[in-house]
Amino acid sequence: VLIPGKFSDGDPSNNFMVRDYRLPNPKYKQGYRGGDFAGILKHLDHLKRLGLTAILFYPVLENDRKDFFGFLATGYRIKDFQRIDPNLGTESDFKKLIAEFHSTSNGERMNVILDLPFTLVGAEHPWNREPEKYKDYFRRWNAENISDNIATNPIQASFGPIDTSWGLGIIDPTHGMKEGNGAYGYIRDEIIFWLTDRFELDGFRYDSAQNLPFLFWKTVLADFRKRYADSKPGFFQVGELFLDRKRSWQRNFFQYLGDGKAKMMDGLYDFFTIELIQRECTLQQQHGCP
């Protein structure tokens, strides 16, 4: 896993957030602190010598510029899914970096997997700037079955309460799924397909995949494999899950890998299991176990 904004500052000229907010600044949390593609390229030999076969990039797409209740964006509040965040570099910089990871002239080839969040969109994304125009793009709050929501309390929008995570409304990607338009069409065509066509990526890791309905994943992954069956047969589809409990629109953990008939994701990154392991290790250490 490589977090571009934290790794190395190779080009001080693109430290826009550092300059705009005079970071480090106790008034703000998180934010880009100077790390960029140029810094990664500078240390590429070191990364190649580690013997890795793949590297997961945390999100590199353009994020909100303004602070959100004192928090600055660091990759997971995407403002524009078709633009590289200027704090990290340019589109050509990212393409060059991918090519260097793929090159065998400087060591073994490394696959590049991009972490892709669209459970939420940034506060400056059009859907959040003008939510009334996209009211069907957000998941409505289930008042009849509170436990079926992600949050404990909704966001009160002008068109009604919506489910939320981290202070932003959760997207309903099933809107337009049958027709291939709406929120579904945008996510599939303007995010997933666009990025796949634009960059020589080897896979996606889908952030907070558990917050989007299982039916969406089943449909969009089938659409992807149909479109790229010949051109990208080995493209990695990895989901980040935190299934602390199963809601009606989710499925059991292993069903996200497929059912033997239809393939779903190639792998899962399960934060809940990691938390259980860490909790068990802590208990063993408290009782004197190594």
Side-chain angles (χ1 to χ4, degrees):
V1 176
L2 193 153
I3 305 176
K6 292 184 177 181
F7 186 69
S8 175
D9 187 1
D11 181 8
S13 70
N14 60 28
N15 294 353
F16 302 109
M17 190 173 284
V18 171
R19 290 194 292 270
D20 290 347
Y21 292 92
R22 299 179 182 178
L23 301 178
N25 188 329
K27 290 174 59 178
Y28 305 104
K29 299 179 181 178
Q30 300 179 346
Y32 290 106
R33 301 300 177 92
D36 50 28
F37 299 144
I40 298 170
L41 196 60
K42 182 179 177 182
H43 296 283
L44 191 68
D45 289 344
H46 164 71
L47 294 171
K48 289 268 185 169
R49 287 197 300 269
L50 294 176
L52 306 174
T53 58
I55 192 159
L56 168 65
F57 275 95
Y58 269 34
V60 301
L61 306 176
E62 185 179 22
N63 265 236
D64 291 345
R65 291 294 188 95
K66 299 177 182 178
D67 74 287
F68 191 68
F69 300 104
F71 286 86
L72 298 175
T74 55
Y76 293 92
R77 282 172 30 213
I78 296 181
K79 173 183 179 179
D80 189 339
F81 285 89
Q82 295 188 354
R83 188 167 185 262
I84 297 296
D85 195 287
N87 289 279
L88 304 178
T90 66
E91 181 176 310
S92 61
D93 292 336
F94 189 46
K95 287 182 176 180
K96 180 181 179 181
L97 186 59
I98 294 172
E100 290 298 319
F101 274 110
H102 286 168
S103 175
T104 56
S105 65
N106 55 14
E108 296 294 325
R109 184 188 193 279
M110 293 173 66
N111 289 317
V112 176
I113 299 173
L114 180 64
D115 196 12
L116 187 54
F118 47 74
T119 295
L120 311 168
V121 297
E124 297 170 39
H125 187 277
W127 294 357
N128 276 319
R129 286 205 317 268
E130 300 180 279
E132 290 77 12
K133 291 184 179 180
Y134 305 97
K135 59 184 180 181
D136 294 327
Y137 288 34
F138 295 92
R139 188 164 72 224
R140 297 303 178 93
W141 180 257
N142 188 342
E144 295 182 359
N145 185 2
I146 300 297
S147 63
D148 217 33
N149 301 300
I150 293 296
T152 54
N153 292 290
I155 289 177
Q156 297 296 335
S158 60
F159 48 84
I162 56 178
D163 201 0
T164 177
S165 179
W166 301 103
L168 294 167
I170 295 177
I171 302 305
D172 177 9
T174 63
H175 173 261
M177 190 164 66
K178 184 177 180 180
E179 299 81 8
N181 55 25
Y184 179 82
Y186 177 90
I187 291 171
R188 184 192 65 182
D189 301 339
E190 304 302 323
I191 300 178
I192 298 176
F193 288 177
W194 189 88
L195 289 169
T196 304
D197 292 338
R198 195 78 169 182
F199 301 101
E200 291 299 321
L201 297 166
D202 303 292
F204 292 127
R205 187 196 81 156
Y206 299 106
D207 174 69
S208 300
Q210 78 283 347
N211 287 350
L212 301 180
F214 181 83
L215 180 61
F216 162 76
W217 291 115
K218 186 175 182 180
T219 305
V220 77
L221 293 177
D223 284 353
F224 185 97
R225 290 190 171 101
K226 182 179 180 181
R227 177 182 173 105
Y228 297 102
D230 296 327
S231 60
K232 296 182 181 292
F235 199 90
F236 293 100
Q237 307 283 357
V238 182
E240 178 219 336
L241 295 177
F242 190 95
L243 286 174
D244 54 334
R245 59 185 176 84
K246 187 166 71 71
R247 280 93 174 171
S248 64
W249 41 271
Q250 295 172 330
R251 291 292 187 276
N252 292 325
F253 184 85
F254 288 105
Q255 287 182 296
Y256 284 86
L257 294 172
D259 57 7
K261 298 179 182 179
K263 186 177 182 181
M264 285 281 290
M265 296 178 178
D266 298 295
L268 299 172
Y269 193 99
D270 178 22
F271 272 111
F272 187 59
T273 298
I274 293 171
E275 185 177 89
L276 291 177
I277 293 171
Q278 291 174 335
R279 192 183 305 166
E280 180 65 23
C281 290
T282 300
L283 289 173
Q284 290 186 16
Q285 291 170 359
Q286 290 175 347
H287 290 85
C289 300

